[in-house]
Amino acid sequence: MKLGPCIKRYKEDTHRAASPEETEKRIEAKLPAAGITRVADITNLDRIGIPVFSSIRPMADRGAVSVYNGKGATPVEARVSAMMEGLERYSGEVRDRELTIARYSSLKAEALNPVDLILPTEAVADADAEIPWVLGWDIMNDEEIQVPANAVFHPLSSDYKRLFRTNTSGLASGNMMEEAIFHGLAEVIERDAWAIVEATRHMGPLISDVVDEQAQGLLERFAAAEVDVYLRDITSDIDIPTCAAAADDIKLRDPTLLTTGMGTHTSARVAVLRALTEVAQSRLTQIHGAREDTVTADFRRQIGYERTKRLNRYWFDIGEKKSFADIQSFESNDFLLDIKFMISKLEEAGLERAVVVDLTREEIGVPVVRVIVPGLEIAGVDRERVGKRIKNARSRRLPRAKPLQS
């Protein structure tokens, strides 16, 4: 896989190789090929007013409808985000792809050891089972490598041996391949940081003095709706700006609306904007689901608002503060430079591989990749998979943690 310069031609609310308007015009005609029948504006289901859209995809073979949400600081950004989410989820399915079935020990080509993917305890004994494999490219070491399909496709048919539940971490799309890879890297770094702070319950300092006009505008929308937002710097030792936003609806006091949003980017400004728009999306996901009766009364509703907040108090404590100006950014006009910077940070943190699997579908024509960095934590989306980074972080930080109250 040869990567080249990829100039950012849009750097307003996020960084893209093309403006949202150009992207929308180009990809709208691709939606039917992915089974997406409509893109709906669901912004007004919530009183916040931050744009959120949904791509709707009927799944006749499963007797269900899949909904993929997208967010943004502007309506066109949110609409394009939802469209790209739908296209990447379609591209991330196995469909007609040919997979190699083999044991790790029998593969003659360079292959990624399944153990390096942080397996659930019960799966370690099966690490050399016959499983499906797919070809990827290690951009850190510039070499071809076989990757367990379990870590690439979502979903993976039960016809295949699976070592863990599939997920979408590192699945990303873009106007260009380099843009897609950048977003995939950002997501796996974000999920790693999220897993570590959740495991240690040290959520990082609150971010103060946010002077960015757009971020201020988003925060003002939350405040006007009587929703408290706790914006935090949860950047890990990888040192790529990662922010989290935790929202508390003090007006409705609804336990399901105690939500979080994350954002990782080489630009701290964009990381903040992504965290704020994602927490708005998280609220709407809850509201939209309840409205369409797809979400039943869950554990949070059963135990109520006060107890839910106590159990998650580490998100809402005030504690230490950090000025937004003190969050270090790497600013560039080229996604390739950003990728190289992120790879260097991963290497400094002791990570040894960064694998990219090209999932671009010919009938769609939109670059889609799965990015896998073995060793990065995934426990935020799969609690059964806890790796060394979490264990090391716990040993360093746990003695200072406040106990949860029931």
Side-chain angles (χ1 to χ4, degrees), residues 61-103:
D61 58 330
R62 302 176 198 172
V65 174
S66 289
V67 179
Y68 311 117
N69 292 330
K71 77 280 186 185
T74 66
V76 67
E77 278 190 3
R79 189 167 192 270
V80 168
S81 175
M83 293 162 70
M84 292 292 268
E85 178 76 12
L87 294 177
E88 71 188 42
R89 291 290 293 273
Y90 169 85
S91 301
E93 296 169 359
V94 177
R95 299 194 165 272
D96 54 357
R97 303 178 200 269
E98 292 186 7
L99 305 180
T100 300
I101 309 298
R103 299 181 187 276

mmCIF file of all heavy atoms in Angstrom, residues 61-103:
data_model
loop_
_atom_site.group_PDB
_atom_site.id
_atom_site.type_symbol
_atom_site.label_atom_id
_atom_site.label_comp_id
_atom_site.label_asym_id
_atom_site.label_seq_id
_atom_site.Cartn_x
_atom_site.Cartn_y
_atom_site.Cartn_z
ATOM 1 N N ASP A 61 -32.836 -9.477 4.840
ATOM 2 C CA ASP A 61 -32.376 -10.807 5.221
ATOM 3 C C ASP A 61 -32.380 -11.008 6.738
ATOM 4 O O ASP A 61 -32.373 -12.133 7.220
ATOM 5 C CB ASP A 61 -30.966 -11.062 4.665
ATOM 6 C CG ASP A 61 -29.955 -10.031 5.130
ATOM 7 O OD1 ASP A 61 -30.365 -8.869 5.367
ATOM 8 O OD2 ASP A 61 -28.771 -10.370 5.248
ATOM 9 N N ARG A 62 -32.401 -9.909 7.491
ATOM 10 C CA ARG A 62 -32.393 -10.008 8.945
ATOM 11 C C ARG A 62 -33.733 -9.579 9.544
ATOM 12 O O ARG A 62 -33.905 -9.603 10.755
ATOM 13 C CB ARG A 62 -31.276 -9.129 9.530
ATOM 14 C CG ARG A 62 -29.891 -9.500 9.011
ATOM 15 C CD ARG A 62 -28.836 -8.558 9.544
ATOM 16 N NE ARG A 62 -27.616 -8.619 8.748
ATOM 17 C CZ ARG A 62 -26.590 -7.794 8.899
ATOM 18 N NH1 ARG A 62 -26.627 -6.862 9.828
ATOM 19 N NH2 ARG A 62 -25.522 -7.906 8.124
ATOM 20 N N GLY A 63 -34.649 -9.148 8.686
ATOM 21 C CA GLY A 63 -35.944 -8.709 9.181
ATOM 22 C C GLY A 63 -35.855 -7.515 10.093
ATOM 23 O O GLY A 63 -36.584 -7.409 11.083
ATOM 24 N N ALA A 64 -34.935 -6.601 9.796
ATOM 25 C CA ALA A 64 -34.719 -5.450 10.668
ATOM 26 C C ALA A 64 -34.320 -4.236 9.836
ATOM 27 O O ALA A 64 -34.122 -4.331 8.622
ATOM 28 C CB ALA A 64 -33.638 -5.765 11.703
ATOM 29 N N VAL A 65 -34.207 -3.116 10.509
ATOM 30 C CA VAL A 65 -33.743 -1.885 9.886
ATOM 31 C C VAL A 65 -32.524 -1.399 10.658
ATOM 32 O O VAL A 65 -32.563 -1.295 11.892
ATOM 33 C CB VAL A 65 -34.836 -0.794 9.896
ATOM 34 C CG1 VAL A 65 -34.279 0.530 9.363
ATOM 35 C CG2 VAL A 65 -36.033 -1.235 9.054
ATOM 36 N N SER A 66 -31.437 -1.121 9.944
ATOM 37 C CA SER A 66 -30.246 -0.575 10.587
ATOM 38 C C SER A 66 -30.254 0.939 10.438
ATOM 39 O O SER A 66 -30.606 1.468 9.383
ATOM 40 C CB SER A 66 -28.976 -1.158 9.967
ATOM 41 O OG SER A 66 -28.828 -2.520 10.322
ATOM 42 N N VAL A 67 -29.874 1.610 11.505
ATOM 43 C CA VAL A 67 -29.828 3.073 11.519
ATOM 44 C C VAL A 67 -28.417 3.500 11.885
ATOM 45 O O VAL A 67 -27.879 3.075 12.912
ATOM 46 C CB VAL A 67 -30.841 3.652 12.532
ATOM 47 C CG1 VAL A 67 -30.758 5.177 12.546
ATOM 48 C CG2 VAL A 67 -32.255 3.190 12.204
ATOM 49 N N TYR A 68 -27.816 4.342 11.033
ATOM 50 C CA TYR A 68 -26.454 4.805 11.260
ATOM 51 C C TYR A 68 -26.489 6.324 11.431
ATOM 52 O O TYR A 68 -26.914 7.042 10.519
ATOM 53 C CB TYR A 68 -25.546 4.427 10.087
ATOM 54 C CG TYR A 68 -25.670 2.974 9.686
ATOM 55 C CD1 TYR A 68 -26.138 2.620 8.422
ATOM 56 C CD2 TYR A 68 -25.333 1.953 10.568
ATOM 57 C CE1 TYR A 68 -26.258 1.297 8.047
ATOM 58 C CE2 TYR A 68 -25.448 0.621 10.200
ATOM 59 C CZ TYR A 68 -25.917 0.298 8.934
ATOM 60 O OH TYR A 68 -26.040 -1.024 8.562
ATOM 61 N N ASN A 69 -26.037 6.803 12.578
ATOM 62 C CA ASN A 69 -26.126 8.231 12.878
ATOM 63 C C ASN A 69 -24.848 8.978 12.536
ATOM 64 O O ASN A 69 -23.746 8.416 12.557
ATOM 65 C CB ASN A 69 -26.455 8.431 14.361
ATOM 66 C CG ASN A 69 -27.856 7.963 14.705
ATOM 67 O OD1 ASN A 69 -28.753 8.012 13.866
ATOM 68 N ND2 ASN A 69 -28.054 7.517 15.926
ATOM 69 N N GLY A 70 -25.012 10.247 12.244
ATOM 70 C CA GLY A 70 -23.877 11.120 11.963
ATOM 71 C C GLY A 70 -24.098 12.474 12.593
ATOM 72 O O GLY A 70 -25.233 12.931 12.721
ATOM 73 N N LYS A 71 -22.993 13.099 13.007
ATOM 74 C CA LYS A 71 -23.101 14.375 13.700
ATOM 75 C C LYS A 71 -22.195 15.401 13.041
ATOM 76 O O LYS A 71 -21.315 15.064 12.239
ATOM 77 C CB LYS A 71 -22.755 14.228 15.181
ATOM 78 C CG LYS A 71 -21.253 14.113 15.501
ATOM 79 C CD LYS A 71 -20.694 12.739 15.286
ATOM 80 C CE LYS A 71 -19.239 12.640 15.754
ATOM 81 N NZ LYS A 71 -18.644 11.332 15.450
ATOM 82 N N GLY A 72 -22.400 16.668 13.405
ATOM 83 C CA GLY A 72 -21.561 17.732 12.880
ATOM 84 C C GLY A 72 -21.962 19.062 13.465
ATOM 85 O O GLY A 72 -23.038 19.204 14.052
ATOM 86 N N ALA A 73 -21.098 20.049 13.298
ATOM 87 C CA ALA A 73 -21.413 21.381 13.791
ATOM 88 C C ALA A 73 -22.401 22.086 12.880
ATOM 89 O O ALA A 73 -23.044 23.055 13.279
ATOM 90 C CB ALA A 73 -20.132 22.209 13.927
ATOM 91 N N THR A 74 -22.545 21.601 11.638
ATOM 92 C CA THR A 74 -23.498 22.164 10.691
ATOM 93 C C THR A 74 -24.360 21.043 10.120
ATOM 94 O O THR A 74 -23.940 19.876 10.111
ATOM 95 C CB THR A 74 -22.787 22.879 9.531
ATOM 96 O OG1 THR A 74 -22.056 21.900 8.761
ATOM 97 C CG2 THR A 74 -21.815 23.936 10.046
ATOM 98 N N PRO A 75 -25.559 21.354 9.607
ATOM 99 C CA PRO A 75 -26.420 20.305 9.051
ATOM 100 C C PRO A 75 -25.771 19.511 7.932
ATOM 101 O O PRO A 75 -25.916 18.283 7.880
ATOM 102 C CB PRO A 75 -27.642 21.090 8.562
ATOM 103 C CG PRO A 75 -27.699 22.282 9.458
ATOM 104 C CD PRO A 75 -26.263 22.656 9.702
ATOM 105 N N VAL A 76 -25.066 20.174 7.016
ATOM 106 C CA VAL A 76 -24.474 19.431 5.903
ATOM 107 C C VAL A 76 -23.383 18.489 6.402
ATOM 108 O O VAL A 76 -23.235 17.363 5.900
ATOM 109 C CB VAL A 76 -23.946 20.388 4.812
ATOM 110 C CG1 VAL A 76 -22.764 21.216 5.288
ATOM 111 C CG2 VAL A 76 -23.564 19.604 3.552
ATOM 112 N N GLU A 77 -22.618 18.910 7.420
ATOM 113 C CA GLU A 77 -21.602 18.018 7.983
ATOM 114 C C GLU A 77 -22.251 16.787 8.610
ATOM 115 O O GLU A 77 -21.775 15.669 8.429
ATOM 116 C CB GLU A 77 -20.783 18.747 9.049
ATOM 117 C CG GLU A 77 -19.673 19.599 8.488
ATOM 118 C CD GLU A 77 -18.745 20.092 9.577
ATOM 119 O OE1 GLU A 77 -18.942 19.727 10.749
ATOM 120 O OE2 GLU A 77 -17.818 20.840 9.249
ATOM 121 N N ALA A 78 -23.329 17.003 9.350
ATOM 122 C CA ALA A 78 -24.012 15.883 10.008
ATOM 123 C C ALA A 78 -24.621 14.943 8.978
ATOM 124 O O ALA A 78 -24.574 13.714 9.144
ATOM 125 C CB ALA A 78 -25.086 16.412 10.956
ATOM 126 N N ARG A 79 -25.193 15.494 7.923
ATOM 127 C CA ARG A 79 -25.812 14.654 6.886
ATOM 128 C C ARG A 79 -24.752 13.802 6.185
ATOM 129 O O ARG A 79 -24.940 12.596 5.995
ATOM 130 C CB ARG A 79 -26.548 15.518 5.866
ATOM 131 C CG ARG A 79 -27.389 14.716 4.887
ATOM 132 C CD ARG A 79 -28.340 15.612 4.093
ATOM 133 N NE ARG A 79 -29.319 14.797 3.384
ATOM 134 C CZ ARG A 79 -29.144 14.330 2.146
ATOM 135 N NH1 ARG A 79 -28.036 14.617 1.480
ATOM 136 N NH2 ARG A 79 -30.075 13.577 1.587
ATOM 137 N N VAL A 80 -23.634 14.424 5.831
ATOM 138 C CA VAL A 80 -22.551 13.687 5.182
ATOM 139 C C VAL A 80 -21.977 12.645 6.130
ATOM 140 O O VAL A 80 -21.661 11.517 5.723
ATOM 141 C CB VAL A 80 -21.451 14.655 4.693
ATOM 142 C CG1 VAL A 80 -20.196 13.893 4.275
ATOM 143 C CG2 VAL A 80 -21.964 15.486 3.535
ATOM 144 N N SER A 81 -21.863 12.986 7.407
ATOM 145 C CA SER A 81 -21.355 12.041 8.406
ATOM 146 C C SER A 81 -22.228 10.792 8.467
ATOM 147 O O SER A 81 -21.724 9.659 8.503
ATOM 148 C CB SER A 81 -21.296 12.723 9.774
ATOM 149 O OG SER A 81 -20.928 11.813 10.783
ATOM 150 N N ALA A 82 -23.551 10.977 8.454
ATOM 151 C CA ALA A 82 -24.470 9.829 8.490
ATOM 152 C C ALA A 82 -24.367 9.001 7.218
ATOM 153 O O ALA A 82 -24.414 7.764 7.255
ATOM 154 C CB ALA A 82 -25.903 10.317 8.690
ATOM 155 N N MET A 83 -24.232 9.673 6.084
ATOM 156 C CA MET A 83 -24.111 8.960 4.816
ATOM 157 C C MET A 83 -22.826 8.136 4.771
ATOM 158 O O MET A 83 -22.840 6.957 4.396
ATOM 159 C CB MET A 83 -24.142 9.968 3.654
ATOM 160 C CG MET A 83 -25.486 10.673 3.497
ATOM 161 S SD MET A 83 -25.396 12.193 2.501
ATOM 162 C CE MET A 83 -25.087 11.537 0.877
ATOM 163 N N MET A 84 -21.720 8.738 5.188
ATOM 164 C CA MET A 84 -20.436 8.027 5.178
ATOM 165 C C MET A 84 -20.443 6.874 6.178
ATOM 166 O O MET A 84 -19.874 5.812 5.916
ATOM 167 C CB MET A 84 -19.299 9.007 5.498
ATOM 168 C CG MET A 84 -19.060 10.049 4.424
ATOM 169 S SD MET A 84 -18.397 9.359 2.882
ATOM 170 C CE MET A 84 -16.647 9.533 3.164
ATOM 171 N N GLU A 85 -21.107 7.070 7.314
ATOM 172 C CA GLU A 85 -21.220 5.994 8.304
ATOM 173 C C GLU A 85 -21.939 4.794 7.696
ATOM 174 O O GLU A 85 -21.528 3.643 7.875
ATOM 175 C CB GLU A 85 -21.968 6.497 9.540
ATOM 176 C CG GLU A 85 -22.192 5.448 10.616
ATOM 177 C CD GLU A 85 -20.965 5.125 11.437
ATOM 178 O OE1 GLU A 85 -19.971 5.858 11.345
ATOM 179 O OE2 GLU A 85 -21.005 4.123 12.181
ATOM 180 N N GLY A 86 -23.024 5.059 6.975
ATOM 181 C CA GLY A 86 -23.759 3.969 6.341
ATOM 182 C C GLY A 86 -22.926 3.249 5.294
ATOM 183 O O GLY A 86 -22.940 2.013 5.201
ATOM 184 N N LEU A 87 -22.164 4.014 4.496
ATOM 185 C CA LEU A 87 -21.347 3.411 3.444
ATOM 186 C C LEU A 87 -20.205 2.584 4.031
ATOM 187 O O LEU A 87 -19.878 1.506 3.513
ATOM 188 C CB LEU A 87 -20.798 4.500 2.518
ATOM 189 C CG LEU A 87 -21.832 5.257 1.677
ATOM 190 C CD1 LEU A 87 -21.149 6.349 0.859
ATOM 191 C CD2 LEU A 87 -22.607 4.313 0.759
ATOM 192 N N GLU A 88 -19.612 3.075 5.115
ATOM 193 C CA GLU A 88 -18.497 2.308 5.693
ATOM 194 C C GLU A 88 -18.994 1.046 6.392
ATOM 195 O O GLU A 88 -18.321 0.007 6.354
ATOM 196 C CB GLU A 88 -17.660 3.174 6.627
ATOM 197 C CG GLU A 88 -18.284 3.568 7.927
ATOM 198 C CD GLU A 88 -17.436 4.580 8.696
ATOM 199 O OE1 GLU A 88 -16.885 5.515 8.088
ATOM 200 O OE2 GLU A 88 -17.356 4.445 9.930
ATOM 201 N N ARG A 89 -20.184 1.109 7.000
ATOM 202 C CA ARG A 89 -20.717 -0.092 7.632
ATOM 203 C C ARG A 89 -21.047 -1.155 6.582
ATOM 204 O O ARG A 89 -20.815 -2.355 6.797
ATOM 205 C CB ARG A 89 -21.948 0.263 8.461
ATOM 206 C CG ARG A 89 -21.621 1.084 9.700
ATOM 207 C CD ARG A 89 -20.876 0.286 10.747
ATOM 208 N NE ARG A 89 -21.720 -0.739 11.302
ATOM 209 C CZ ARG A 89 -22.538 -0.557 12.338
ATOM 210 N NH1 ARG A 89 -22.613 0.618 12.941
ATOM 211 N NH2 ARG A 89 -23.267 -1.552 12.792
ATOM 212 N N TYR A 90 -21.598 -0.742 5.451
ATOM 213 C CA TYR A 90 -21.850 -1.673 4.348
ATOM 214 C C TYR A 90 -20.530 -2.281 3.872
ATOM 215 O O TYR A 90 -20.428 -3.496 3.654
ATOM 216 C CB TYR A 90 -22.538 -0.930 3.204
ATOM 217 C CG TYR A 90 -22.626 -1.708 1.906
ATOM 218 C CD1 TYR A 90 -23.669 -2.602 1.681
ATOM 219 C CD2 TYR A 90 -21.675 -1.537 0.902
ATOM 220 C CE1 TYR A 90 -23.750 -3.316 0.494
ATOM 221 C CE2 TYR A 90 -21.752 -2.244 -0.285
ATOM 222 C CZ TYR A 90 -22.787 -3.130 -0.488
ATOM 223 O OH TYR A 90 -22.853 -3.832 -1.675
ATOM 224 N N SER A 91 -19.520 -1.433 3.706
ATOM 225 C CA SER A 91 -18.221 -1.897 3.191
ATOM 226 C C SER A 91 -17.506 -2.791 4.187
ATOM 227 O O SER A 91 -16.632 -3.580 3.798
ATOM 228 C CB SER A 91 -17.337 -0.690 2.856
ATOM 229 O OG SER A 91 -17.958 0.137 1.893
ATOM 230 N N GLY A 92 -17.854 -2.687 5.461
ATOM 231 C CA GLY A 92 -17.197 -3.488 6.484
ATOM 232 C C GLY A 92 -17.772 -4.878 6.661
ATOM 233 O O GLY A 92 -17.351 -5.615 7.556
ATOM 234 N N GLU A 93 -18.734 -5.260 5.803
ATOM 235 C CA GLU A 93 -19.310 -6.606 5.860
ATOM 236 C C GLU A 93 -18.534 -7.539 4.922
ATOM 237 O O GLU A 93 -17.953 -7.105 3.933
ATOM 238 C CB GLU A 93 -20.782 -6.548 5.456
ATOM 239 C CG GLU A 93 -21.614 -5.711 6.434
ATOM 240 C CD GLU A 93 -23.010 -5.405 5.920
ATOM 241 O OE1 GLU A 93 -23.339 -5.835 4.787
ATOM 242 O OE2 GLU A 93 -23.773 -4.733 6.648
ATOM 243 N N VAL A 94 -18.549 -8.825 5.224
ATOM 244 C CA VAL A 94 -17.768 -9.782 4.432
ATOM 245 C C VAL A 94 -18.285 -9.880 3.004
ATOM 246 O O VAL A 94 -17.526 -9.804 2.035
ATOM 247 C CB VAL A 94 -17.797 -11.189 5.081
ATOM 248 C CG1 VAL A 94 -17.052 -12.188 4.210
ATOM 249 C CG2 VAL A 94 -17.178 -11.147 6.469
ATOM 250 N N ARG A 95 -19.590 -10.099 2.872
ATOM 251 C CA ARG A 95 -20.225 -10.263 1.558
ATOM 252 C C ARG A 95 -19.492 -11.312 0.722
ATOM 253 O O ARG A 95 -19.328 -12.428 1.128
ATOM 254 C CB ARG A 95 -20.322 -8.908 0.839
ATOM 255 C CG ARG A 95 -21.171 -7.919 1.630
ATOM 256 C CD ARG A 95 -21.598 -6.705 0.853
ATOM 257 N NE ARG A 95 -22.676 -6.059 1.599
ATOM 258 C CZ ARG A 95 -23.955 -6.363 1.451
ATOM 259 N NH1 ARG A 95 -24.310 -7.248 0.549
ATOM 260 N NH2 ARG A 95 -24.879 -5.787 2.190
ATOM 261 N N ASP A 96 -19.000 -10.914 -0.475
ATOM 262 C CA ASP A 96 -18.441 -11.898 -1.406
ATOM 263 C C ASP A 96 -16.921 -12.011 -1.315
ATOM 264 O O ASP A 96 -16.282 -12.569 -2.205
ATOM 265 C CB ASP A 96 -18.840 -11.534 -2.833
ATOM 266 C CG ASP A 96 -18.454 -10.100 -3.191
ATOM 267 O OD1 ASP A 96 -17.933 -9.377 -2.319
ATOM 268 O OD2 ASP A 96 -18.691 -9.695 -4.339
ATOM 269 N N ARG A 97 -16.323 -11.502 -0.272
ATOM 270 C CA ARG A 97 -14.863 -11.535 -0.174
ATOM 271 C C ARG A 97 -14.371 -12.958 0.121
ATOM 272 O O ARG A 97 -14.996 -13.704 0.866
ATOM 273 C CB ARG A 97 -14.376 -10.592 0.922
ATOM 274 C CG ARG A 97 -14.817 -9.141 0.734
ATOM 275 C CD ARG A 97 -14.326 -8.300 1.896
ATOM 276 N NE ARG A 97 -15.068 -7.057 2.024
ATOM 277 C CZ ARG A 97 -14.728 -5.911 1.451
ATOM 278 N NH1 ARG A 97 -13.655 -5.854 0.694
ATOM 279 N NH2 ARG A 97 -15.455 -4.827 1.645
ATOM 280 N N GLU A 98 -13.245 -13.302 -0.453
ATOM 281 C CA GLU A 98 -12.647 -14.615 -0.222
ATOM 282 C C GLU A 98 -11.732 -14.550 0.999
ATOM 283 O O GLU A 98 -10.848 -13.698 1.079
ATOM 284 C CB GLU A 98 -11.858 -15.067 -1.453
ATOM 285 C CG GLU A 98 -12.731 -15.364 -2.662
ATOM 286 C CD GLU A 98 -11.927 -15.946 -3.806
ATOM 287 O OE1 GLU A 98 -10.725 -16.236 -3.598
ATOM 288 O OE2 GLU A 98 -12.494 -16.100 -4.909
ATOM 289 N N LEU A 99 -11.963 -15.449 1.937
ATOM 290 C CA LEU A 99 -11.155 -15.503 3.145
ATOM 291 C C LEU A 99 -10.354 -16.795 3.172
ATOM 292 O O LEU A 99 -10.806 -17.831 2.701
ATOM 293 C CB LEU A 99 -12.052 -15.431 4.392
ATOM 294 C CG LEU A 99 -13.012 -14.239 4.482
ATOM 295 C CD1 LEU A 99 -13.823 -14.324 5.771
ATOM 296 C CD2 LEU A 99 -12.260 -12.924 4.410
ATOM 297 N N THR A 100 -9.155 -16.711 3.715
ATOM 298 C CA THR A 100 -8.308 -17.890 3.888
ATOM 299 C C THR A 100 -8.590 -18.503 5.259
ATOM 300 O O THR A 100 -8.577 -17.795 6.267
ATOM 301 C CB THR A 100 -6.821 -17.492 3.800
ATOM 302 O OG1 THR A 100 -6.560 -16.920 2.514
ATOM 303 C CG2 THR A 100 -5.928 -18.704 4.020
ATOM 304 N N ILE A 101 -8.856 -19.810 5.298
ATOM 305 C CA ILE A 101 -9.101 -20.496 6.568
ATOM 306 C C ILE A 101 -7.834 -21.268 6.939
ATOM 307 O O ILE A 101 -7.386 -22.142 6.188
ATOM 308 C CB ILE A 101 -10.294 -21.473 6.477
ATOM 309 C CG1 ILE A 101 -11.516 -20.774 5.877
ATOM 310 C CG2 ILE A 101 -10.611 -22.047 7.854
ATOM 311 C CD1 ILE A 101 -12.032 -19.613 6.692
ATOM 312 N N ALA A 102 -7.251 -20.916 8.066
ATOM 313 C CA ALA A 102 -5.989 -21.560 8.457
ATOM 314 C C ALA A 102 -5.704 -21.330 9.937
ATOM 315 O O ALA A 102 -6.318 -20.474 10.581
ATOM 316 C CB ALA A 102 -4.843 -20.991 7.609
ATOM 317 N N ARG A 103 -4.768 -22.113 10.453
ATOM 318 C CA ARG A 103 -4.244 -21.871 11.792
ATOM 319 C C ARG A 103 -3.093 -20.872 11.696
ATOM 320 O O ARG A 103 -2.350 -20.867 10.714
ATOM 321 C CB ARG A 103 -3.729 -23.177 12.417
ATOM 322 C CG ARG A 103 -4.791 -24.247 12.587
ATOM 323 C CD ARG A 103 -4.187 -25.500 13.229
ATOM 324 N NE ARG A 103 -5.149 -26.583 13.243
ATOM 325 C CZ ARG A 103 -6.087 -26.734 14.186
ATOM 326 N NH1 ARG A 103 -6.126 -25.871 15.204
ATOM 327 N NH2 ARG A 103 -6.941 -27.743 14.136
#
